[in-house]
Amino acid sequence: MLSAERKYILARAMKISEKTYYLKTDLHRLFRGYKLYVSIIGVVAALFFSLEDNGIINNSVVTTYTMSTEMSGMMLVYVFCAFAYAISLGEDIENKYVRYQIIRGSKIKYIVSKVFVIYFSSILVMLIGTWFFLLLNRLRAPWVDLDIDDLSTEKAGQYSFLLQDGYYMWYCLLYALQLGLLAGVFSVLAALVSLYISNIVTTLAVPVLVYQVLLEYSGTGRINVFSFRAYNKLFANDINYFIFVLLLSIVPTILLGLGIYKKLNSRL
């Protein structure tokens, strides 16, 4: 017997493959499934877990958030970002949905759609999860208590104008967006690994393992995992910095997408 979710995926695949609306199919699957919403809750929980017993740090929501992204719980955040949709590619192959979706369409469009939605869902989960985390902490503390914490570390980095002008929420969300760009790369990499190892636990462990390796072996140059953290001052111009971080995320994602295409060719 097919589950309701599997029947839906198969029906959408058979109906939409004629027009190759792969993106519409993937977005329907993302928003109709439970994984997206579990992932958002998971990100919120992981950020709180990351604080351990520290609670609100320096009576500041901004500092509490930036510190939570530095702790070990951040690895779980990347896992939940991948859980939202990264395992969908492996599921399609395991259940043979991929053949229905590309038999009368385009394999390239199928893969582009999958990579995009995996990447997009990771960013979305990071942003919404962070937003809820910020709101929950805002109920207990101010954005910043200047008598205790002047945010000197954050103001020395990128986007300091947001902090100076009091746009604390936007600073944190822009910070989260950049971490989401990193999470997107990890999730697409996890999807690639799922083509080699059909084990969900192993697939979801990829972000943790890769993140840990990158932390241990990141050099002192600009191209490393620390570049996604906005408190680092890499460029004098914030726009140039954001473009750099965007490219640092998109280029590996494209290369991983090519890897997915090559591996999928060999499996079909």
Side-chain angles (χ1 to χ4, degrees):
M1 294 290 291
L2 292 174
S3 67
E5 181 182 6
R6 291 186 176 185
K7 286 180 179 178
Y8 168 77
I9 296 170
L10 185 57
R12 292 293 300 178
M14 296 177 69
K15 179 180 178 181
I16 295 177
S17 61
E18 296 181 4
K19 296 184 178 181
T20 64
Y21 288 162
Y22 298 113
L23 183 59
K24 187 175 181 180
T25 303
D26 282 319
L27 289 174
H28 267 86
R29 182 176 175 184
L30 172 67
F31 288 106
R32 285 173 61 100
Y34 70 92
K35 294 184 181 70
L36 174 67
Y37 308 101
V38 170
S39 297
I40 292 171
I41 295 172
V43 166
V44 179
L47 288 172
F48 276 110
F49 172 78
S50 190
L51 294 172
E52 299 175 350
D53 297 326
N54 293 317
I56 298 294
I57 300 173
N58 292 342
N59 197 36
S60 167
V61 174
V62 175
T63 302
T64 300
Y65 170 64
T66 56
M67 287 299 296
S68 69
T69 63
E70 295 295 309
M71 303 295 188
S72 59
M74 195 60 196
M75 290 187 285
L76 291 176
V77 171
Y78 292 124
V79 170
F80 283 112
C81 286
F83 180 70
Y85 209 66
I87 61 178
S88 64
L89 186 58
E91 289 176 341
D92 280 2
I93 293 177
E94 181 180 353
N95 297 299
K96 297 182 174 58
Y97 300 145
V98 62
R99 295 186 181 276
Y100 290 103
Q101 296 200 51
I102 67 175
I103 191 170
R104 288 180 292 178
S106 166
K107 189 182 301 181
I108 294 178
K109 290 181 180 179
Y110 169 81
I111 294 172
V112 169
S113 174
K114 271 286 184 287
V115 170
F116 173 80
V117 176
I118 291 169
Y119 186 77
F120 164 76
S121 65
S122 297
I123 297 173
L124 185 65
V125 167
M126 182 71 79
L127 281 172
I128 298 177
T130 297
W131 183 67
F132 277 116
F133 175 79
L134 294 171
L135 291 182
L136 291 173
N137 279 290
R138 184 66 182 85
L139 296 175
R140 303 188 294 162
W143 286 109
V144 59
D145 187 341
L146 295 176
D147 293 331
I148 301 176
D149 188 355
D150 61 358
L151 301 178
S152 57
T153 300
E154 290 81 0
K155 288 180 179 178
Q158 306 287 165
Y159 315 127
S160 59
F161 72 95
L162 292 173
L163 298 173
Q164 293 166 359
D165 293 341
Y167 297 112
Y168 303 116
M169 169 72 85
W170 289 111
Y171 174 83
C172 293
L173 289 179
L174 190 53
Y175 199 116
L177 173 60
Q178 296 193 171
L179 295 180
L181 293 175
L182 179 60
V185 179
F186 290 158
S187 297
V188 175
L189 176 59
L192 175 59
V193 171
S194 72
L195 299 180
Y196 292 87
I197 305 174
S198 58
N199 182 284
I200 295 178
V201 175
T202 302
T203 299
L204 295 178
V206 170
V208 175
L209 297 174
V210 175
Y211 181 62
Q212 189 61 40
V213 170
L214 291 176
L215 286 178
E216 292 291 334
Y217 296 100
S218 289
T220 56
R222 289 178 174 176
I223 303 179
N224 60 64
V225 70
F226 297 108
S227 296
F228 290 89
R229 298 174 179 177
Y231 61 72
N232 290 312
K233 189 72 172 180
L234 300 182
F235 290 84
N237 185 287
D238 289 329
I239 295 178
N240 291 340
Y241 167 67
F242 183 76
I243 293 174
F244 169 75
V245 172
L246 193 61
L247 290 174
L248 199 58
S249 173
I250 291 178
V251 172
T253 299
I254 293 173
L255 295 176
L256 291 170
L258 293 174
I260 290 174
Y261 177 78
K262 182 177 179 180
K263 181 59 180 176
L264 196 59
N265 267 335
S266 67
R267 293 198 59 170
L268 296 179

